[in-house]
Amino acid sequence: MPEKIEATDHGPVHYEPEPATLVRREAFTDGDSVFAFELQERDTLGHLPGQFVQLFIPGVGEAPFSVSSSPTDEGPFELCIREVGKVTNAIHDLEVGDTVGIRGPFGEVCDIETFADNDVLFIAGGIGLAPLRSMINYVLAHRDWFDDVTVLYGCKEPAEMLYPAEVRQWEQSDIIDFRMTVDGVPEGQTWDGNVGVITTLIPGLNLDPENTYTVVCGPPVMFQFVQQELDEKEIPHEQIYLSLERRMHCGVGLCGHCQINDLYVCQDGPVFNYEVIKNRPEALS
Amino acid sequence: MKILAKYEFDELVNKWIAEDPREVVGATHDGTKFVFDDIDDAEELRLDYDLTMLSPKKYFFPQRERLVQYDTNENDYAMVQDWSEESRIIVGIHPYDLVAIEQLDDIFIDAQGDEPYRRKRENSVLIGVTMQSVSEHSFAASMGTARTETGYDLLVTELEDTYAIEIGSEKGSGLLEEAPTKEASLEEVEAVEEQKAAVESKFEKGIEFSPKQLPSLLKEGYDAVEVWDEYADGCLSCGTCNVVCPTCYCFNVDVVDYMTDEVGETRRRWDGCLLEEFAAVAGGENFREERVARHRHRLMRKGNYLYERFGDIACVGCGRCTKQCVADVADPSEIYNELWRSVNA
C-alpha cells in the first residue's frame, strides 16, 4: 500500500497576513483619517503607485485599501480610510503601537513612466484622492519627467477636505496646477474657493489632448460626468485611467467579488485604462 | 486497460478502506439521495447513480475551511497557517465532474496558486466511472463532458461480471499494484467503447448548438434583456445554483474569534453571485443590485468570462442547478437555447 502522499513544494501563500505596526494617525475630517504603518518583518511594502493592500484586524475582518503614499515617500506607508463599516470602524479604534495584518501589495496599475514627456491630469473626487495621492506624489517626485501636471480635487464641503496641509502646499506650488472645488458650503464653514461639482473645473483647463494622460478616481456617479467633459476636450480614451473600487475577499483573483464582467479589479485593476473598461457594462454603472 | 472481477474490485476497495492511509469516499446513497460520502464497505458504493447532490469539489474546496490561524497574545502576533492536509481516494466520479475538477485545478493550482486547494487535491486520487444512468436534468453529452479521456487516475467501466479499468496516472496504477488484474481482451475494450457511446444517447436535454459557440453567443446575447428577464423574474436570489455547481468557486472570508480578541482564525466559505449582497461594498454601493444582472452574471461567467480567462467552458452540463432550483429558472441549457434562438431570430 502506498504511503500517504504529502504535497510538497509549497507555493506562495497569499492568505497569510504579515504583522504591521500603526506608527502614526491623523484625522482629516470626522470620518476620514490617515494611518501610517510599518511592516514588522520587512523594510518597505514595495508597492507601485495605485496598488492596494488587504488590511486585517484580528477578531473583526479584512478589507482592501489603496495605498495613499508614494513609493518615493520615505518611511511607513499610508492608508487614508473613511469610517463606513465594520472593518473601517475597527481601524479608527486603533491606537498608535497597535498591530494589524497586511497582505499585498496587490493589483495591476498604469505604468506612470509611459506618461513621461506628456502632460498629466489627475481628477479626484472625495475619498478618491487617497489612491490618486500615491500617483500624484510619485509624479511630483519625478517632476522633470513630465510636462504640465494638473490636479483637480472636489469635495462635498470644505470640512471634508483630505490632506489639508498638503493641499495648501499644492495650491502654492508652482510645479503643479492645483484646482479645487466644493459642492457646497454649509452654514458655519468658510470657503473662498470654487463652488460647484468637480466637472465644472474641466472646461476651464487649457489641455493639449494628444499629449495629456488623465487619471480619475471618485465615486461611481462621478466617472460618467467627468468622462463627458474629457470627451469634450477630446482626450483619447487610451490616455485615460480610472481607479475603481469593489468588494474583495482574497485579492488574488479567486473569490469573485470584485469582478467587473470578465475583469477582476484585484488583478486587472484597480487602475484600468478607460479604453479597456468602457465596453464593460458593469464598470461604471 | 485492465480487468477485475466485480468481487475482486470490491475486495480491492475494502483493502484501501482497511489499509490505505487516505480516507476512502465514494458515490453512495444516503437514504434519500445520491451523495459523495465516506464509505465503510465497498458494498455502499452506488456506481449506477445518475447525479449526486454535490460534486467531489467539496473535498478540495470545502464549504468551510480554515485559512489562517492567528494569535496576538502578549504582542506575539503570529499568523499561523494551519490548513488541514486531507487526502482521499474518491471512487465513482462521473466524467463531467472530472472535467470540472480539471478546470478547478487549472484555476486554483496553475493560475492562482491556491495552497489550501492544492494540498488537498494533490494528496487525493480520482477514480472515475463511466456513466450508467443519466439524470433527466443533465445535458452533459451536448457539452462534450459525458465522457473524458483525461482527469482521472483510474476510470472504471462496468461490464457484465467485471470492471474494465483504464489507468490515467502513476498514482492510479499504484493502486492496482497488488490487485489480480488481467489485461483486457479486444472484445472488452470494444465493449467499454460501446458503453461510453451508448450513454451519450441517453440524454434528454442538450444545447442545440456546439459548446464552442457558447462564448460568442453570450457575448452577442449580453443585451438580450428579454431572455435574461424571463428567467430572472422568477429567481429567488437564493444562490442554490451556485452552491451545487461543480465549477462555482466564489467565496467569502470570515474572521472567527475563539471567544477572545487575541486568538482566532480566518475561514473561507462558499459564496454565490446570485446572493443580493455579493457585489455590495461598504458605503452603500451595490454593483450588481438587479436580480437580472446577477442571474446573467452566473451564465456569462460559465460560458464566456472564465473561457476568455482560462480557456474552459465552465458549465459541464451536470444539471445540478436545474434539479435544485426551487423557482425552476436555473437550467443553463434552456437559457442558452433560448438565447441562441433570440440571437438567431
Side-chain angles (χ1 to χ4, degrees):
Chain A
M1 280 292 156
E3 292 297 301
K4 179 171 173 174
I5 305 159
E6 295 291 348
T8 50
D9 183 31
H10 294 181
V13 175
H14 312 297
Y15 300 112
E16 189 186 32
E18 54 181 313
T21 313
L22 176 64
V23 293
R24 180 168 52 80
R25 57 173 293 173
E26 183 191 341
F28 293 145
T29 74
D30 282 349
D32 305 295
S33 290
V34 65
F35 298 84
F37 294 99
E38 242 165 31
L39 294 174
Q40 292 172 6
E41 290 158 7
R42 288 192 288 156
D43 288 342
T44 58
L45 180 64
H47 70 294
L48 297 168
Q51 281 192 309
F52 70 94
V53 294
Q54 291 274 3
L55 194 161
F56 175 77
I57 304 281
V60 181
E62 193 183 55
F65 300 98
S66 287
V67 181
S68 55
S69 52
S70 162
T72 53
D73 297 341
E74 296 282 324
F77 68 92
E78 291 181 12
L79 309 175
C80 179
I81 297 171
R82 174 167 290 177
E83 218 177 338
V84 285
K86 189 174 62 151
V87 177
T88 51
N89 290 344
I91 296 168
H92 277 257
D93 289 340
L94 292 173
E95 288 168 20
V96 169
D98 283 351
T99 298
V100 299
I102 293 286
R103 294 194 296 128
F106 296 120
E108 190 65 37
V109 294
C110 58
D111 187 358
I112 294 182
E113 279 76 10
T114 61
F115 301 179
D117 301 322
N118 285 280
D119 298 337
V120 187
L121 168 63
F122 293 102
I123 304 177
I127 190 82
L129 183 65
L132 286 198
R133 181 176 173 270
S134 69
M135 293 183 248
I136 294 169
N137 282 345
Y138 186 82
V139 163
L140 293 182
H142 302 288
R143 183 63 189 84
D144 56 338
W145 294 357
F146 308 94
D147 292 339
D148 294 345
V149 176
T150 307
V151 176
L152 308 183
Y153 175 36
C155 307
K156 268 203 191 97
E157 53 189 70
E160 297 257 303
M161 191 197 298
L162 305 177
Y163 291 99
E166 207 159 332
V167 160
R168 250 156 246 134
Q169 278 178 24
W170 290 344
E171 273 171 337
Q172 284 154 22
S173 165
D174 50 12
I175 58 168
I176 56 168
D177 179 359
F178 178 84
R179 304 182 190 198
M180 189 176 166
T181 184
V182 295
D183 295 354
V185 185
E187 223 169 293
Q189 296 183 25
T190 52
W191 180 251
D192 57 4
N194 296 305
V195 177
V197 293
I198 191 158
T199 44
T200 58
L201 295 178
I202 301 172
L205 297 174
N206 183 20
L207 299 176
D208 173 9
E210 292 305 313
N211 297 307
T212 299
Y213 282 84
T214 303
V215 192
V216 187
C217 189
V221 63
M222 188 189 101
F223 285 117
Q224 47 180 312
F225 294 108
V226 164
Q227 188 52 46
Q228 283 171 16
E229 295 297 333
L230 295 177
D231 280 343
E232 288 287 320
K233 294 285 187 186
E234 296 182 338
I235 298 193
H237 289 173
E238 55 274 16
Q239 289 169 213
I240 298 171
Y241 292 86
L242 311 172
S243 178
L244 300 182
E245 178 206 24
R246 287 296 186 275
R247 182 173 166 194
M248 287 179 195
H249 278 261
C250 72
V252 295
L254 279 171
C255 82
H257 288 280
C258 72
Q259 239 186 317
I260 293 176
N261 295 106
D262 58 323
L263 300 177
Y264 289 76
V265 174
C266 68
Q267 291 206 315
D268 303 311
V271 182
F272 290 95
N273 189 285
Y274 184 60
E275 187 61 29
V276 171
I277 206 82
K278 70 178 182 186
N279 296 324
R280 264 72 177 196
E282 291 184 347
L284 302 174
S285 59
Chain B
M1 194 180 288
K2 305 286 182 188
I3 298 292
L4 260 186
K6 283 184 174 169
Y7 75 89
E8 289 168 335
F9 179 77
D10 286 356
E11 280 173 8
L12 180 63
V13 171
N14 285 333
K15 197 170 177 192
W16 297 336
I17 293 170
E19 297 173 17
D20 197 283
R22 291 165 291 207
E23 190 183 1
V24 180
V25 299
T28 183
H29 199 272
D30 72 357
T32 54
K33 59 192 180 298
F34 290 114
V35 291
F36 279 95
D37 206 347
D38 301 351
I39 52 168
D40 298 324
D41 191 289
E43 277 184 1
E44 294 169 26
L45 285 173
R46 286 290 303 274
L47 300 184
D48 62 334
Y49 74 94
D50 58 353
L51 189 60
T52 57
M53 183 75 185
L54 295 176
S55 83
K57 171 187 83 177
K58 65 180 180 180
Y59 293 122
F60 316 127
F61 175 56
Q63 284 97 329
R64 279 182 193 77
E65 73 179 308
R66 176 190 296 161
L67 289 179
V68 165
Q69 200 173 33
Y70 62 87
D71 186 347
T72 62
N73 272 317
E74 295 164 10
N75 281 340
D76 174 23
Y77 189 83
M79 288 287 178
V80 190
Q81 291 158 30
D82 181 28
W83 29 69
S84 47
E85 301 196 18
E86 301 161 75
S87 55
R88 294 189 178 85
I89 298 174
I90 307 173
V91 188
I93 307 171
H94 276 174
Y96 51 80
D97 277 340
L98 290 169
V99 171
I101 292 169
E102 276 192 291
Q103 292 186 7
L104 293 180
D105 290 352
D106 287 349
I107 297 167
F108 274 76
I109 299 176
D110 299 338
Q112 314 296 36
D114 185 271
E115 278 297 290
Y117 178 98
R118 187 181 74 88
R119 293 180 196 199
K120 290 188 276 293
R121 172 68 183 89
E122 290 183 357
N123 284 344
S124 294
V125 188
L126 307 185
I127 303 182
V129 64
T130 297
M131 292 175 73
Q132 297 170 35
S133 322
V134 170
S135 161
E136 58 178 316
H137 305 290
S138 179
F139 55 101
S142 68
M143 300 303 293
T145 59
R147 52 186 297 176
T148 177
E149 306 306 321
T150 58
Y152 53 81
D153 296 297
L154 294 174
L155 180 71
V156 176
T157 305
E158 188 179 277
L159 301 176
E160 228 156 274
D161 302 315
T162 60
Y163 287 114
I165 306 177
E166 290 165 77
I167 297 169
S169 74
E170 242 175 83
K171 236 197 265 184
S173 74
L175 280 179
L176 293 181
E177 244 163 40
E178 292 171 34
T181 54
K182 294 184 308 186
E183 209 55 53
S185 67
L186 281 178
E187 289 76 18
E188 284 163 327
V189 174
E190 238 169 69
V192 167
E193 179 52 36
E194 274 167 27
Q195 274 225 32
K196 289 181 181 175
V199 168
E200 300 210 292
S201 60
K202 289 187 186 169
F203 286 80
E204 293 167 29
K205 287 198 166 180
I207 56 168
E208 296 162 0
F209 49 92
S210 160
K212 289 197 178 112
Q213 292 168 292
L214 202 47
S216 330
L217 170 67
L218 285 167
K219 194 163 179 242
E220 279 183 52
Y222 187 87
D223 292 317
V225 181
E226 67 290 350
V227 177
W228 302 116
D229 269 341
E230 183 186 336
Y231 291 91
D233 271 351
C235 173
L236 302 169
S237 302
C238 69
T240 301
C241 51
N242 297 132
V243 170
V244 299
C245 178
T247 67
C248 268
Y249 58 86
C250 289
F251 58 84
N252 273 333
V253 177
D254 303 316
V255 175
V256 182
D257 60 43
Y258 300 161
M259 307 304 277
T260 85
D261 286 340
E262 291 85 22
V263 186
E265 62 188 43
T266 62
R267 271 186 215 168
R268 72 173 163 198
R269 64 181 155 90
W270 293 357
D271 200 359
C273 61
L274 263 296
L275 297 172
E276 214 164 319
E277 298 301 311
F278 186 79
V281 295
E285 200 80 37
N286 186 341
F287 293 98
R288 229 172 277 115
E289 197 167 10
E290 300 290 323
R291 198 165 41 185
V292 63
R294 297 194 296 277
H295 202 265
R296 175 173 60 188
H297 182 73
R298 175 175 82 99
L299 292 144
M300 290 298 299
R301 197 174 143 104
K302 297 292 165 206
N304 179 290
Y305 298 158
L306 291 177
Y307 171 80
E308 295 290 341
R309 211 168 182 86
F310 301 110
D312 295 314
I313 304 281
C315 177
V316 296
C318 67
R320 288 186 177 95
C321 57
T322 314
K323 184 174 180 183
Q324 302 300 338
C325 179
V326 182
D328 198 17
V329 293
D331 185 350
S333 68
E334 203 180 312
I335 300 169
Y336 289 146
N337 283 337
E338 190 131 336
L339 205 58
W340 176 257
R341 289 191 286 265
S342 157
V343 165
N344 291 303

